[in-house]
Amino acid sequence: MKVIVPVKRVVDSNIKPLVKSDGSGIEINGVKMSMNPFDETAVEEAVQLKEKNIVTEIIVISIGEIKCQDILRTAMAMGADRGILVTTDQAVESLSVAKILKHFVEKEKPDFVLMGKQASDDDMNATGQILAAKLGWAQGTFISKLELSEGKAKVTREIDDGQEILELTLPAVLTTDLRLNEPRYASLPNIMKARKKPLETVALTDLGIDLKNSLEIVSIKEFSSSRESIIVDSVDALLDKLKNEAKVI
Amino acid sequence: MTVLVLLSYEKGNYIRPITRSAITAATKLGDVHVLLAGKDLGDLAQKASALSGVKKVLIADHEAYAHMLAEPTADLIESLADSYDTIIVPANAEGKDILPRVAGLLDIQPVSDIVEIIDTNTFVRPIYAGSILATVKTHDNKKLLSVRGTAFAPTAEEGGSAEIEKLTHFSGSEKTLSKFCELKISQSDRPELESARVVISGGRGMQSSDNFVLIEKVADQLNAAIGASRAAVDAGFINNDCQVGQTGKIVAPELYIAVGISGAIQHLAGIKESKVIVAINKDPDAPIFKASNYGIVGDLFEILPQLEEKLGALK
């Protein structure tokens, strides 16, 4: 089976994001950028499936500035076979990303698309489902377990009160929950090998896809906790505060 | 302006509180119609009709929607979309699965997880695991929104008398792209995490699954739901569905007690709308303290039994 895994370059999710001094966006200058952790889970799953000889080819795709090459190389060091980078300086929304991905799905004809359920920067949780709709494919979202067989994918989905198991007809779009696996660190020899794997770069403007952004960012601000952080020295003192000050017990 | 809200319910005929929160948000944007899709709906139509603020209940009673699978349900919503300016779903697993698919069908950029409505086109939503709040304006003519339950008070379960209309055209009902196999519901006698008045969560500091009994004893005294940090879930101390945080459940109880939880950004994102947060941790520098109203620095294995005993004595 052939799989496409889209990956997004984001501010490293372990770093606290800061708003630029002019309030126009998030500061990314000098900030560590990494692969979206949800996409990392998708890459790992694809690589594990290749190791089990279920998947034969893994194509990773990213959209953004030329620096996105670094996460494509990381994905190839983890085990992906080749990369495609669609270059653009513009921010692209989920709807546009889905349209770009559809272009490559139609060209490459994978058996399924495996991707993070959301990106850790905008947390929109939409691209996979939009792509599935645009392709008219089945969708399996927020999956924590994947079993593939001839023409079918059995997925376990993480839902509000437990888990739901669905059987999807392939081709399908699958989006990953972090519980699916524990992504590996690429070894040095594999990082070296990944440098020789094919990476195709194409400008978004050359694809001839009509895109427009619908969402305008009016303002952004850091969430600030206004809590007082009163440290008490005993359980009695705590219960007194909860009962007489906060009045929650 | 008319708004369509997808009704999220549990088998056993219980309308989820997050649906009622979504209806509260919808009433700020126009007249509210709700869509009840499923099979064997029992008295859900009557319950939906009684919800305060609802003008009309649309019923799609068909086997195809029995498990609210995204493919047929999105087709159904798309077939109704012409009559609505805004379509809203609760931002739970179901809504998040279905709404972007509707967006793909209608070629509209959805707006996920809104926590505030500024005007009919402008909304506030958390990004970066809740550490940043973005105010976004949509330029699409039709708006597709998912609503964060903790951000809007649930509308009253009574007081409405909405008209009930049974749909006869079941768009997408022939779809066989996906098939429901099984639902594994986690059983618990405790209140649900998302709607509990008190939540007590354990983290890596609990050290083992067995030690969660200390949390359970305190939870018994407070009729609290039990949660956990991702670290505790990953360590195998407790089930996945107890996870609180960006990748787990978003909670907003009156009282949240974090025990042995350091306070990673992802965890704080899931608890920040709680009214009062209490931290119990042996590390005085743990970030959780800065995000708390009250804290005790100390050994949780001494503090939890005391808490249990003294809460018992308060009764």
Side-chain angles (χ1 to χ4, degrees):
Chain A
M1 287 190 196
K2 182 171 172 179
V3 56
I4 284 184
V5 183
V7 293
K8 184 176 185 183
R9 188 172 184 265
V10 297
V11 171
D12 189 282
S13 61
N14 294 310
I15 291 172
K16 186 174 162 50
L18 297 172
V19 177
K20 282 184 191 168
S21 50
D22 64 358
S24 63
I26 301 294
E27 187 58 70
I28 56 166
N29 273 331
V31 174
K32 186 185 176 199
M33 304 292 282
S34 300
M35 192 191 307
N36 170 33
F38 297 89
D39 297 341
E40 226 174 2
T41 304
V43 173
E44 173 64 32
E45 193 68 13
V47 173
Q48 289 186 14
L49 288 165
K50 196 176 175 201
E51 287 167 346
K52 290 176 194 153
N53 298 315
I54 296 168
V55 159
T56 49
E57 187 183 21
I58 304 167
I59 305 164
V60 281
I61 302 184
S62 193
I63 303 163
E65 53 179 331
I66 196 81
K67 287 176 182 165
C68 294
Q69 282 180 345
D70 60 10
I71 60 161
L72 290 171
R73 291 289 176 204
T74 302
M76 288 190 277
M78 288 171 75
D81 295 290
R82 60 186 169 100
I84 300 171
L85 173 58
V86 181
T87 54
T88 174
D89 295 332
Q90 306 297 315
V92 278
E93 295 172 351
S94 359
L95 183 65
S96 301
V97 172
K99 288 178 184 173
I100 297 166
L101 293 175
K102 178 171 181 270
H103 170 90
F104 288 97
V105 168
E106 284 168 349
K107 191 174 160 201
E108 300 283 353
K109 301 187 171 50
D111 294 281
F112 61 106
V113 175
L114 185 59
M115 59 200 289
K117 69 170 182 176
Q118 68 196 72
S120 62
D121 53 1
D122 74 357
D123 287 332
M124 195 64 90
N125 190 337
T127 307
Q129 298 90 314
I130 297 174
L131 176 63
K134 295 265 176 218
L135 291 165
W137 286 10
Q139 70 184 51
T141 53
F142 329 145
I143 66 168
S144 59
K145 194 173 174 199
L146 170 61
E147 295 164 88
L148 291 165
S149 56
E150 195 56 49
K152 301 276 181 204
K154 195 169 194 183
V155 298
T156 299
R157 304 182 56 233
E158 294 294 323
I159 59 168
D160 294 315
D161 25 46
Q163 296 174 321
E164 181 183 63
I165 300 172
L166 301 181
E167 188 182 78
L168 311 177
T169 303
L170 296 178
V173 177
L174 309 175
T175 78
T176 61
D177 187 276
L178 292 177
R179 289 156 214 167
L180 186 60
N181 58 49
E182 190 69 43
R184 71 193 64 195
Y185 290 101
S187 67
L188 192 60
N190 284 340
I191 292 170
M192 302 303 283
K193 257 194 271 178
R195 291 186 185 167
K196 297 199 181 88
K197 290 185 178 176
L199 200 170
E200 174 193 346
T201 300
V202 52
L204 176 58
T205 46
D206 290 344
L207 293 178
I209 305 172
D210 183 30
L211 301 175
K212 64 162 178 50
N213 280 347
S214 308
L215 292 187
E216 175 193 336
I217 296 188
V218 180
S219 66
I220 58 169
K221 64 173 186 192
E222 280 160 35
F223 174 79
S224 59
S225 163
S226 53
R227 301 183 196 267
E228 297 155 81
S229 313
I230 298 169
I231 302 294
V232 296
D233 57 7
S234 69
V235 169
D236 287 323
L238 175 67
L239 292 178
D240 177 60
K241 293 279 188 195
L242 293 179
K243 196 173 168 66
N244 301 317
E245 196 173 271
K247 297 186 168 48
V248 288
I249 58 169
Chain B
M1 296 275 283
T2 318
V3 184
L4 182 67
V5 178
L6 177 66
L7 196 136
S8 178
Y9 59 91
E10 220 173 72
K11 294 273 168 182
N13 298 336
Y14 159 75
I15 295 175
R16 296 180 196 270
I18 192 170
T19 302
R20 295 192 282 123
S21 296
I23 290 168
T24 302
T27 54
K28 297 176 194 294
L29 295 169
D31 284 347
V32 178
H33 295 182
V34 300
L35 172 61
L36 172 57
K39 188 68 195 163
D40 301 326
L41 295 165
D43 62 354
L44 278 170
Q46 283 68 40
K47 284 180 177 160
S49 160
L51 292 173
S52 177
V54 176
K55 292 266 173 17
K56 192 189 222 180
V57 181
L58 302 177
I59 314 270
D61 185 349
H62 193 284
E63 185 61 37
Y65 312 124
H67 302 286
M68 300 278 270
L69 297 178
E71 299 88 349
T73 312
D75 279 13
L76 173 67
I77 296 172
E78 184 207 13
S79 73
L80 301 168
D82 276 352
S83 313
Y84 298 96
D85 308 288
T86 304
I87 297 169
I88 287 181
V89 302
N92 58 1
E94 201 170 78
K96 288 177 171 190
D97 185 36
I98 294 167
L99 185 82
R101 191 168 178 107
V102 178
L105 298 173
L106 295 171
D107 205 36
I108 289 170
Q109 169 66 39
V111 186
S112 309
D113 267 323
I114 65 163
V115 293
E116 194 184 336
I117 295 171
I118 307 288
D119 61 41
T120 53
N121 298 304
T122 314
F123 313 97
V124 179
R125 59 181 302 270
I127 56 174
Y128 287 90
S131 36
I132 305 281
L133 291 173
T135 303
V136 296
K137 182 174 183 177
T138 170
H139 292 280
D140 281 318
N141 292 330
K142 203 183 289 291
K143 271 91 57 182
L144 300 185
L145 313 171
S146 69
V147 170
R148 183 71 72 87
T150 51
F152 299 88
T155 194
E157 286 176 283
E158 282 169 21
S161 54
E163 167 198 351
I164 296 177
E165 180 186 328
K166 286 198 169 186
L167 298 174
T168 51
H169 176 66
F170 302 111
S171 187
S173 59
E174 72 297 343
K175 282 244 159 92
T176 53
L177 292 171
S178 59
K179 194 179 92 188
F180 171 84
C181 301
E182 195 185 343
L183 186 63
K184 290 183 182 170
I185 295 180
S186 311
Q187 296 293 345
S188 170
D189 296 334
R190 298 188 185 280
E192 276 189 68
L193 263 174
E194 282 117 319
S195 54
R197 202 187 70 82
V198 180
V199 174
I200 176 164
S201 291
R204 206 196 308 263
M206 294 307 298
Q207 295 180 12
S208 77
S209 175
D210 292 344
N211 289 336
F212 263 80
V213 72
L214 298 171
I215 295 234
E216 285 169 20
K217 286 178 177 170
V218 177
D220 289 343
Q221 297 295 339
L222 291 163
N223 189 29
I226 293 180
S229 67
R230 173 137 191 264
V233 170
D234 283 351
F237 298 169
I238 190 162
N239 280 344
N240 278 341
D241 49 287
C242 294
Q243 189 189 319
V244 172
Q246 183 198 17
T247 56
K249 295 195 168 107
I250 309 289
V251 301
E254 284 187 39
L255 173 60
Y256 185 84
I257 307 175
V259 185
I261 291 177
S262 62
I265 299 173
Q266 287 85 351
H267 187 76
L268 299 181
I271 66 170
K272 65 189 176 62
E273 284 161 76
S274 306
K275 187 175 164 210
V276 173
I277 297 176
V278 171
I280 299 172
N281 205 297
K282 66 177 184 212
D283 175 9
D285 297 323
I288 189 76
F289 285 117
K290 288 213 174 73
S292 304
N293 302 74
Y294 306 107
I296 300 189
V297 179
D299 183 353
L300 65 91
F301 297 104
E302 290 169 17
I303 294 168
L304 286 176
Q306 282 184 41
L307 199 53
E308 181 208 348
E309 187 197 322
K310 292 185 176 177
L311 281 167
L314 275 182
K315 283 184 181 171

